[in-house]
């Protein structure tokens, strides 16, 4: 592998204003359904399919502000591309909590990340009921559109209308209240399934010890394998990676003190404490355990915090994992307002590669890029396999912590970077790579991303040629409104719009 040194342009002043950034955290209460007709450039006719996105659509309940954006009710956006045109639709996931709060016109539930019911600790004491907000990811798998949130059940939606159809229990394999995490990994060719695609996901059941359950679903959406593992201690695990033989989790060094949560003083997420002197534990779980093989292997590495991984793959006895690492967990302060966050005071997410030696149980890591970054994507055929290109949201400036305003393409073989920025008044979300039909080159396709445009207080769907960011956007689709900053989404080649 060649040098990972980046080619960066010097930046002398801040690339954004906080007031502009705050605009993307206003609630969107309206639901839309229209063909997008305000377009710069041209939508490639070969781009056929549907981009689904999920994220908190509401940052308040009838004017009562939420304490943290991660507590916001899930809203699905759907952008359908067909014959050079694009259609937009958005709709809230009708979770039990969303319906109850909209009917009551006030906050009825405690949020995981800091939102409390009005009325102080007395109104919250011994209330352990958390709201399934279905706001983190949305996938189309086994002919089902599913909105995902890691603390609870998936919600199934109609892919045409986005109407909520109810909870999904996968033919009774999952039971009421059992979680189905928001970060499934889709393996394109699963050896165990004769080369058919396979979706791998997990659930975390926290406690004094933690139970991690792994689910593998065939392309019909049926759970065909699942196995549970007990891990000592409290786990805060949001994401994982797979290879053809392993599921790999990073157990971040955090502790959880349940007492302030039980007493109604603090939300659950505010009771998590980062332990800088404790190691991160890397949990390696065989997907298809063989007779006599250890069920779980733990390798320790230095302290740090990972929300998201990018990919992993096996090379002989080694597993290589690419992850976005923070120096510590950005703890949520009870009295703080997330809109007033001091970006410069926080440590940025940075891209690292971990080399695990499964034979001798050692690990070392290498910095791929120190630019502040989050939300990565790769060619879908390479999940769990060696790969060359990754696409990631990045800060405009080369150093320091800042909102994501740019997209970065990294060639892991040559070390080349390609950079496209929406600064100063644009703020980007997760990029999604869509391969061009019948393409052979790994980067032959498009990057789709939502960009909040503070100048017009609206969002754009931007399309870049993934093989050449230097062309700039090849199409910019202006929506009639903004979409609050979202979390994750996915693309399917199926077209869900009535023409
Ligand atoms: Fe995530």
């Amino acid at each position: 592998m060649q040098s990972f040194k980046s080619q960066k342009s010097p930046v002398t002043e801040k690339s954004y204003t906080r007031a502009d950034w705050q605009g993307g955290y206003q609630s969107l209460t309206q639901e839309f359904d229209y063909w997008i007709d305000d377009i710069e450039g041209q939508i490639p006719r070969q781009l056929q399919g549907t981009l689904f996105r999920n994220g908190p659509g509401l940052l308040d309940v009838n004017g009562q502000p939420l304490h943290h954006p991660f507590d916001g009710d899930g809203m699905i956006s759907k952008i359908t591309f067909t014959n050079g045109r694009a259609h937009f639709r958005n709709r809230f996931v009708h979770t039990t909590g969303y319906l109850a709060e909209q009917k009551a016109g006030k906050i009825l539930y405690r949020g995981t990340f800091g939102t409390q019911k009005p009325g102080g600790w007395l109104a919250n004491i011994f209330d352990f009921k958390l709201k399934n907000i279905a706001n983190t990811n949305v996938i189309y798998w086994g002919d089902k559109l599913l909105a995902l949130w890691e603390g609870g059940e998936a919600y199934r939606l109609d892919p045409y209308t986005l109407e909520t159809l109810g909870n999904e229990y996968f033919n009774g394999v999952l039971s009421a209240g059992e979680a189905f995490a928001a970060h499934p990994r889709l393996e394109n060719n699963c050896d165990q399934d004769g080369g058919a695609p396979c979706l791998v996901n997990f659930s975390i059941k926290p406690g004094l010890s933690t139970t991690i359950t792994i689910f593998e679903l065939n392309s019909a959406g049926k759970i065909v394998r699942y196995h549970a593992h007990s891990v000592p201690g409290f786990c805060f695990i949001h994401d994982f990676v797979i290879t053809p033989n392993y599921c790999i989790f990073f157990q971040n060094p955090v502790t959880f003190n349940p007492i302030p949560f039980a007493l109604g003083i603090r939300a659950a997420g505010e009771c998590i404490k980062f332990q800088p002197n404790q190691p991160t534990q890397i949990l390696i779980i065989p997907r298809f355990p063989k007779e006599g093989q250890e069920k779980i292997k733990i390798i320790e590495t230095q302290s740090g915090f990972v929300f998201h991984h990018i990919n992993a793959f096996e090379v002989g006895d080694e597993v290589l994992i690419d992850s976005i690492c923070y120096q510590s967990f950005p703890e949520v302060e009870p009295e703080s307002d997330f809109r007033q966050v001091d970006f410069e005071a926080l440590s940025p997410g940075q891209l690292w590669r971990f080399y695990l030696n499964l034979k001798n149980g050692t690990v070392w890591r290498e910095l791929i890029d120190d630019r502040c970054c989050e939300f990565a994507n790769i060619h879908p055929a390479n999940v769990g396999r060696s790969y060359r290109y990754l696409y990631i949201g990045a800060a405009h400036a080369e150093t320091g912590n800042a909102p994501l305003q740019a997209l970065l393409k990294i060639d892991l073989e040559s070390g080349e970077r390609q950079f496209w920025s929406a600064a100063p008044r644009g703020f980007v979300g997760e990029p999604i790579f869509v391969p061009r039909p019948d393409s052979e080159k790994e980067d032959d396709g498009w990057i789709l991303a939502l960009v909040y445009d503070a100048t017009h207080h609206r969002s754009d769907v931007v399309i870049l040629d993934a093989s050449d960011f230097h062309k700039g956007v090849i199409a910019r689709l202006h929506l009639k409104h903004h979409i609050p900053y979202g979390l994750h989404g996915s693309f399917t080649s199926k077209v869900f719009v009535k023409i």
Side-chain angles (χ1 to χ4, degrees), residues 150 180-187 198-204 212-217 227 236-243 246-251 283-285 287 306-312 321-323 383-384:
E150 68 198 34
F180 190 72
H183 274 287
R185 297 275 169 178
L186 170 52
E187 188 180 38
C198 170
L199 189 88
V200 188
N201 201 9
F202 65 95
S203 75
I204 298 285
I212 302 176
T213 306
I214 292 164
F215 307 100
E216 304 216 355
L217 289 76
H227 39 106
F236 182 1
I237 296 175
H238 175 68
D239 192 9
F240 78 141
V241 271
I242 61 167
T243 69
Y246 302 102
C247 291
I248 299 148
F249 299 83
F250 278 35
Q251 186 178 359
L283 316 173
I284 303 128
I285 302 177
R287 286 174 60 191
V306 171
F307 284 109
H308 295 124
H309 304 283
I310 297 155
N311 198 23
I321 306 170
D322 295 336
S323 310
V383 172

Side-chain angles (χ1 to χ4, degrees), residues 407-477:
L407 296 171
L408 182 64
K409 174 187 177 185
I410 299 181
D411 180 339
L412 294 163
E413 272 182 34
S414 72
E416 186 205 352
R417 267 74 171 152
Q418 292 186 8
F419 185 74
W420 174 83
S421 178
R425 305 205 71 185
F427 299 85
V428 308
E430 176 189 63
I432 297 286
F433 175 81
V434 179
R436 189 189 306 274
D438 305 319
S439 60
E440 290 181 355
K441 284 188 173 170
E442 188 183 318
D443 62 347
D444 186 6
W446 304 280
I447 291 295
L448 309 179
L450 286 173
V451 177
Y452 171 67
D453 168 14
T455 308
H456 301 93
H457 184 53
R458 72 181 176 198
S459 295
D460 293 340
V461 182
V462 297
I463 305 173
L464 279 85
D465 182 337
S467 68
D468 188 2
F469 275 22
H470 298 131
K471 285 183 188 167
V473 292
I474 54 176
R476 188 189 289 267
L477 288 57

Side-chain angles (χ1 to χ4, degrees), residues 25-69:
Y25 269 137
Q26 290 179 23
S27 294
L28 177 69
T29 53
Q30 220 178 325
E31 295 179 329
F32 295 87
D33 182 1
Y34 61 92
W35 287 94
I36 302 167
D37 56 15
D38 188 359
I39 297 171
E40 291 176 58
Q42 278 207 322
I43 301 170
R45 290 188 75 83
Q46 283 182 294
L47 177 59
Q48 295 272 334
T50 310
L51 174 68
F52 290 106
R53 302 238 25 111
N54 198 353
L58 293 183
L59 288 309
D60 67 283
V61 177
N62 203 24
Q64 292 178 347
L66 303 182
H67 187 73
H68 196 287

Side-chain angles (χ1 to χ4, degrees), residues 209-231:
S209 68
T210 300
T211 303
I212 302 176
T213 306
I214 292 164
F215 307 100
E216 304 216 355
L217 289 76
N218 66 13
S219 48
K222 189 178 168 204
I223 295 179
V224 288
R225 292 176 285 275
Y226 68 99
H227 39 106
H229 303 266
S230 184
V231 178

Side-chain angles (χ1 to χ4, degrees), residues 5-11 369-371 397-399 408 417:
K5 252 191 168 357
S6 57
Q7 300 152 7
K8 293 167 181 170
S9 52
V11 173
D369 203 301
D370 59 359
R371 186 188 289 263
E398 61 182 313
T399 57
L408 182 64
R417 267 74 171 152

